[in-house]
Amino acid sequence: MTTGGKPRSTILDAAGAAPGGVLVGLSNEELSEILVEFGLPKYRIEQLEAALYHQKVADLAEVTTWPKDLRERVTAAGFRVGLPDIVETFRSVDGTERYLIAGSDGQTVETVWMPEGDGGEEGDSSSAGPHDPGQKAWSRATICVSSQIGCAVNCQFCLTAKLGIIRNLTAGEIAGQVAAVLNRQAAEPGRDRINLVFMGMGEPFLNYDAFMAAVRLLAGPMEIPESRMTVSTSGIVPGILRFAGETVRPKLAISLNAPNDAVRQDIMPVTRKWSIAEVIDAVRQVPLRPRERVTFEYVLLAGINDQLQHADEVVKLVRRAKFPAKVNLIAWNPGPEVPFSTPSAEDVARFQERLREQEVPAFLRRPRGRDIYAACGQLKRTAKPEVLSV
Ligand code: SAH
Ligand code: SF4
């Protein structure tokens, strides 16, 4: 049924729902509201919710818990599932897959699948062939999810920044990336160990409402425990403060990337808006769950932030923060026309050791899918990856 020729879903645009009668991304309450003229009892909405988020159907015709005539009436009124499509897949030698996923306007976003466990080293580093879900070569996996197309934050070392901000993603496009990848991998969160990191393209806290609406769908009907989700922010203080008030929320990671404001301002201009101290003060407002730690991410850039005196400054910062924290070190992943270099493995190890010997837990993040531009900071919709001279 339409209002002035348009599906009713347009009434939800302001809340971040995709236009065009798209249902995926809507909560139970929003589905009831949007389908109100069909006079559906509560259980019909629940059946639709299960089909969208549990079965992850691609078409209303597959909602077999609904009578055929209801599916047809809702379709005729201009509604559709609107699950995003994987339009291109790149497979790395390390088993990582990078997908280009089409948004509702044909713009693509990137999502990365990182399997762990047996057989993850297979692959041919080119466009992947047909997937055989019968051959499950992983025991757990992490999906790296995008929150925007491009990014406005302009960190100097990040390839995504080169795109600028193109647009926000809707809740359906954010949760839909996960649904599309789970379908492709025949993965079931209730059975398989799936972690999510909101560390793809974009700054989640600059698309806060849609990002959190997606989290509620993922943690609710999509059955991914919030404790297996991590969101990373460049330090958007108003977003961190809102996040502090959420009851269902991922774990928090802060992209620190520098030992002090002076270095950080050079590589992350957002520091001029919010200093490291202001970011840390905001994080202190987030009530942590038992055993939860905040992660500080730290991209090591040769000669810029990777010296031992920088490690000592990081130790002081972490101590002053006074909340349980750990540091994730990432050796910089290269990209064309990004004027930095990757530190040597020895320098990375020395930096890590310096933190550890002062009792700051420090872990080294293994780069995944560098050969296909899937690693941190490399997401720029690169369609034809060239061989990298790393
Ligand atoms: N915008 C958010 C989340 C996406 S970026 C944020 O910045 O936190 C995810 C992580 O990748 C961040 O910690 C960021 O600092 C890091 N990163 C960006 N570019 C990188 C690169 N070229 N090599 C390694 N890590 C990079
Ligand atoms: Fe945006 Fe994160 Fe890249 Fe900075 S590191 S430009 S915040 S995606």
Side-chain angles (χ1 to χ4, degrees), residues 148 150-162 199-203 232-234 255 257 268 377:
Q148 299 181 304
C151 185
V153 180
N154 201 21
C155 304
Q156 300 297 297
F157 46 81
C158 171
L159 210 53
T160 305
K162 303 272 170 211
M199 298 187 187
M201 288 177 136
E203 168 50 63
S232 171
T233 177
S234 57
S255 294
N257 296 340
M268 296 180 72

Side-chain angles (χ1 to χ4, degrees), residues 238-262:
I240 299 171
L241 294 174
R242 283 185 75 184
F243 191 73
E246 301 287 353
T247 40
V248 175
R249 61 157 180 84
K251 292 183 284 184
L252 182 61
I254 302 290
S255 294
L256 178 62
N257 296 340
N260 55 52
D261 282 337

